[in-house]
């Protein structure tokens, strides 16, 4: 069995460390949208691990910083007893780490298999989110979730890269006129400055049903937190409520929002809280749409293109609710409709 970018000798070294023998073979798992890959090690594992399987996760050595961010954030989260995978070993020279295996059942899978438990699972996810948002920064640790922030510069970068380059330019095939460019830039600036002005909390950055694992004990475990940073609390909540992989009715979104406000003890004006939630959702869904296109083009994972239209639809529907970005939302919706018509021809 081969692993991406790893030699047979390196695999043998890893297996000997994990199992005491190089005879077992890791099984490569289907990955997500990132550059990381995963493989499962099973068999007779030493008692020190306290489990029956382990995961190897890796990146090309040139991208070690991605995995290093995961490991540094993991140290912070584990110290505060958050449900994150334990780390058993790391080999930067090979671009790999050995971590705890949370299994194969994601929240999206659990909801599909047991729809009657959906309210319970939603509430469990929000309880965990409230816990994350209450985490105090640790000034004694160096980790990206404390050192990075959703500031204006970050939002502007995402609009430029994901939205302008990949969504509008590559996917929709549009070269905006000078007037359209001014409208886009004005909308980007308004959203960026509005969101960046809010108080910061620990933000997972991709809090959705594919990054929450249902563990053997029935509790949720958190994965893929390498991009965590400081940001407004509505960002993660918007990511969960407008999850690309689990659709939610308006009534369910309202109920989840109210549950979050109560659990987190939020006393902000409800209308203002909801407005910020929707503005965060606009940014998130436009980013999602561009990221799906980028993932398909750059990594060959074309299965993500199926989610682009819905992401744009959510974003433009929300944009039309605000006078600051109403016209830009209508413009994006028109461009998307042209794309659909061209695809039908």
């Amino acid at each position: 069995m081969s692993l991406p970018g790893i030699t047979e000798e390196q695999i043998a070294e890893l297996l000997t460390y994990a199992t005491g023998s190089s005879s077992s073979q890791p099984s490569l798992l289907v990955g997500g949208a990132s550059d990381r890959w995963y493989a499962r090690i099973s068999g007779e594992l030493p008692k020190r691990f306290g489990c029956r399987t382990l995961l190897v996760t890796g990146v090309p050595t040139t991208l070690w910083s991605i995995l290093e961010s995961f490991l540094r954030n993991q140290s912070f989260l584990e110290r505060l007893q958050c449900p994150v995978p334990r780390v058993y070993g790391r080999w930067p020279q090979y671009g790999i780490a050995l971590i705890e295996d949370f299994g194969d059942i994601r929240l999206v899978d659990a909801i599909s298999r047991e729809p009657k438990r959906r309210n319970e699972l939603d509430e469990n996810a929000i309880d965990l989110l409230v816990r994350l948002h209450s985490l105090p920064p640790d000034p004694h640790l160096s980790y990206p979730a404390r050192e990075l922030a959703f500031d204006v510069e970050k939002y502007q970068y995402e609009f430029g890269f994901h939205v302008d380059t990949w969504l509008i330019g590559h996917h929709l095939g549009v070269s905006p006129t000078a007037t359209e460019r001014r409208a886009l830039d004005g909308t980007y600036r308004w959203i960026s400055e509005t969101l960046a002005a809010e108080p910061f909390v620990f933000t997972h950055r991709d809090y959705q049903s594919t990054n929450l694992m249902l563990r053997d004990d029935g509790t949720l475990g958190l994965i893929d937190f390498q991009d965590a940073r400081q940001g407004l609390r509505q960002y993660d909540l918007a990511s969960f409520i407008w999850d690309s992989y689990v659709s939610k009715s308006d009534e369910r979104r309202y109920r989840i929002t109210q549950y979050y406000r109560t659990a987190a003890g939020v006393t902000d004006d409800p209308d203002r809280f909801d407005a910020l939630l929707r503005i965060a959702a606009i940014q998130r869904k436009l980013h999602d749409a561009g990221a799906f296109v980028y993932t398909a083009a750059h990594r060959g994972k074309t299965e993500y293109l199926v989610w682009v239209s819905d992401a744009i639809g959510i974003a433009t529907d929300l944009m039309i609710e605000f006078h600051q970005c109403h016209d830009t939302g209508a413009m994006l919706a028109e461009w998307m409709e042209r794309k659909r018509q061209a695809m039908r021809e």
Side-chain angles (χ1 to χ4, degrees), residues 42-107:
S42 57
E44 293 294 328
L45 301 181
K47 291 183 179 180
R48 71 178 184 274
F49 294 123
C51 54
R52 294 171 295 178
T53 61
L54 296 170
L55 283 186
V56 187
T57 180
V59 294
T61 53
T62 55
L63 298 177
W64 172 252
S65 61
I66 296 173
L67 192 48
E68 184 180 33
S69 293
F70 172 87
L71 297 171
R72 289 167 61 198
N73 283 336
Q74 187 276 345
S75 295
F76 164 71
L77 292 167
E78 186 176 46
R79 280 194 179 195
L80 295 177
Q81 299 182 323
C82 293
V84 296
R86 286 170 286 183
V87 176
Y88 298 113
R90 63 192 75 194
W91 292 263
Q93 69 274 28
Y94 304 152
I96 59 176
L98 189 66
I99 65 174
E100 184 179 4
D101 185 0
F102 277 176
D104 296 315
I105 304 176
R106 305 167 300 171
L107 179 60

Side-chain angles (χ1 to χ4, degrees), residues 5 28 81 123 147 158 162 179 254 281 283-284 324:
L28 194 63
Q81 299 182 323
E123 291 177 2
E147 298 159 353
E158 292 194 348
H162 293 100
T179 300
Y254 174 80
Q283 195 280 338
R284 169 69 184 185
Q324 295 92 337

Side-chain angles (χ1 to χ4, degrees), residues 250-271:
D250 289 342
E251 189 276 333
R252 182 173 293 277
R253 284 195 290 267
Y254 174 80
R255 186 167 67 244
I256 292 173
T257 302
Q258 295 308 111
Y259 184 87
Y260 175 90
R261 286 179 55 89
T262 300
V266 174
T267 58
D268 297 357
D269 174 71
D271 290 339

